[in-house]
């Protein structure tokens, strides 16, 4: 399998495999929350195929959710007012509302696979590589590929056809609801930045979850190493039950640690037309040897945790947390030293968390089981 980087926004690589694993992580939304009455007004906009990306490709794999867009059962935030205008097409993500009964609405995130410019460039690369023209039927080209034909013939999608990381199996990714054109709809999360000013027990809980997520990225039953090229506060999000997830996988890469050492010879088979969605069709793969196993801990300890935990606790607790953070963020230490510091920090934060209904993802279990 080797090494891949999945990007949803800039420098896109392997978009369709990522869409595939999102498809297989599909699960129902969390319980509906009743929002203020949403007026049902006759649309005065032209909701064309171009905005969705249906004029180029039906995205091309995934659970179709197009009907809900056209029936106004998925609405952008601006649609809740009488003036129905489509949001700008150049944006990468939008806040939206989702309903199954036109009475109760849930918040959702509506995300584009890449920017419109990157889509256009990818389309040109695909068409040029096939017919030496700048315009063609993208969907028709993709459907002719060996990879797509394998998907069509398969009775079910297995790991040898794609990577499969459903949230129901504990993988830290948002719930996928469906796709239409080049838009993906998933359960809504709040960015981590909104919690920088949170109370000490909330900060401790989120920091503990973040360290647990990062640890699972390198230690899991499938023996994969997930790694970040970079992280920021928008990388992670929190559901309304307090559970932390990877909100933006645009700089997330994956290495199969069992086969990752077999790089160049084994990678040629993956250079089909799908690779043109990312860059030049002849571009070389990133070497897995450039990835450090401790770089995830270093990144979050440098960029995220100090902003979340700074000045939250009284001494000597704060001093102890800061000392663990300095070690965890030190890129000159070896992997074991960094991992040990991150593990000790997580264990130090565990008893600083509270157990009440604010943390619904582990309450009331935390009252009876120290695991939570």
């Amino acid at each position: 399998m080797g090494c891949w980087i999945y990007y949803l926004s800039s420098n896109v690589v392997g978009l369709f495999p990522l869409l595939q694993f999102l498809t297989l992580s599909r699960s129902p939304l969390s319980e509906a929350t009743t929002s203020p009455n949403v007026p049902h007004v006759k649309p005065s906009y032209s909701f064309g195929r171009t905005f969705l990306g249906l004029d180029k490709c039906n995205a091309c794999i995934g659970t179709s959710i197009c009907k809900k867009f056209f029936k106004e059962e998925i609405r952008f935030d601006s649609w809740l007012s009488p003036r129905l205008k489509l949001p700008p097409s150049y944006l990468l993500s939008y806040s939206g509302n989702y309903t199954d009964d036109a009475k109760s609405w849930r918040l959702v995130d509506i995300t584009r696979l890449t920017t419109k410019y990157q889509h256009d460039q990818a389309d040109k690369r695909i068409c040029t590589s096939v017919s030496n023209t700048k315009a063609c039927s993208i969907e028709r080209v993709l459907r002719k590929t060996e990879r797509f034909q394998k998907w069509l013939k398969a009775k079910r999608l297995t790991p040898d056809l794609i990577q499969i990381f459903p949230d129901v199996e504990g993988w830290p990714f948002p719930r996928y609801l469906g796709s239409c054109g080049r838009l993906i709809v998933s359960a809504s999360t709040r960015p981590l930045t909104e919690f920088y000013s949170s109370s000490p027990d909330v900060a401790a809980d989120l920091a503990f979850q973040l360290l647990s997520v990062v640890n699972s990225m390198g230690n899991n039953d499938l023996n994969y190493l997930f790694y970040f090229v970079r992280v920021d506060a928008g990388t992670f999000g929190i559901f309304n039950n307090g559970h932390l997830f990877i909100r933006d996988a645009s700089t997330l890469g994956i290495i199969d640690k069992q086969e990752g050492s077999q790089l160049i010879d084994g990678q040629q088979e993956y250079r089909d037309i799908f690779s043109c969605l990312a860059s030049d069709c002849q571009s070389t793969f990133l070497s897995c040897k450039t990835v450090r196993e401790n770089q995830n801990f270093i990144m979050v300890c440098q960029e995220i945790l100090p902003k979340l935990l700074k000045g939250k606790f009284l001494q000597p607790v704060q001093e102890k947390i800061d000392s663990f953070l300095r070690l965890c963020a030190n890129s000159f230490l070896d992997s074991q030293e960094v991992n040990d510091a991150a593990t000790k920090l997580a264990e130090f934060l565990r008893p600083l968390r509270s157990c009440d209904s604010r943390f619904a993802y582990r309450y009331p279990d935390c009252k009876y089981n120290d695991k939570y």
Side-chain angles (χ1 to χ4, degrees), residues 193-349:
T193 46
E194 294 186 12
F195 296 85
Y196 281 174
S197 59
S198 61
S199 61
D201 58 343
V202 171
D205 182 80
L206 293 175
F208 179 85
Q209 286 192 72
L210 180 54
L211 289 168
S212 299
V213 165
V214 172
N215 180 62
S216 69
M217 292 170 66
N219 299 282
N220 50 75
D221 293 339
L222 296 182
N223 208 19
Y224 288 129
L225 170 63
F226 294 78
Y227 64 94
F228 288 108
V229 177
R230 64 179 183 276
V231 296
D232 56 43
T235 303
F236 304 96
I238 293 87
F239 286 128
N240 58 9
N241 66 355
H243 206 174
L244 182 142
F245 281 77
I246 295 174
R247 184 172 188 251
D248 176 12
S250 64
T251 60
L252 182 64
I254 306 172
I255 295 176
D256 184 328
K257 291 195 287 187
Q258 286 185 313
E259 301 184 33
S261 59
Q262 303 171 8
L263 294 177
I264 304 301
D265 294 338
Q267 286 182 334
Q268 188 62 39
E269 63 180 290
Y270 296 102
R271 295 187 183 183
D272 60 14
I273 203 68
F274 284 78
S275 303
C276 301
L277 293 171
S279 57
D280 190 306
C281 299
Q282 302 302 318
S283 62
T284 58
F285 284 83
L286 176 69
S287 172
C288 298
K289 295 179 180 178
T290 64
V291 179
R292 299 176 58 185
E293 289 202 24
N294 64 355
Q295 71 182 42
N296 292 328
F297 278 130
I298 292 174
M299 287 181 183
V300 298
C301 289
Q302 287 179 346
E303 304 296 333
I304 308 296
L305 291 180
K307 299 172 184 176
L308 183 62
L309 297 172
K310 182 179 180 180
K312 282 291 196 302
F313 303 91
L314 297 176
Q315 301 297 359
V317 173
Q318 187 67 53
E319 182 180 356
K320 193 72 172 177
I321 290 174
D322 292 343
S323 66
F324 285 136
L325 280 177
R326 284 193 294 271
L327 291 172
C328 178
N330 191 338
S331 60
F332 294 101
L333 297 180
D334 61 39
S335 293
Q336 189 59 51
E337 291 176 298
V338 171
N339 292 344
D340 287 347
T343 300
K344 291 177 181 178
L345 175 57
E347 289 306 310
F348 190 76
L349 291 170

Side-chain angles (χ1 to χ4, degrees), residues 22-30 63 98 166-169 173-178 185-187 239:
L22 287 172
T23 300
L24 290 173
S25 70
R26 183 172 184 254
S27 63
L29 273 171
S30 56
T63 302
Y98 174 105
D167 72 293
V168 294
E169 293 183 5
F173 300 105
R175 299 179 185 91
Y176 167 81
L177 303 175
V185 182
S186 58
F239 286 128

Side-chain angles (χ1 to χ4, degrees), residues 48 60 64 74 117 126 145 152 189 226 242:
C60 291
S64 176
I74 295 177
Y117 171 79
I126 290 174
T145 63
L152 291 178
T189 59
F226 294 78

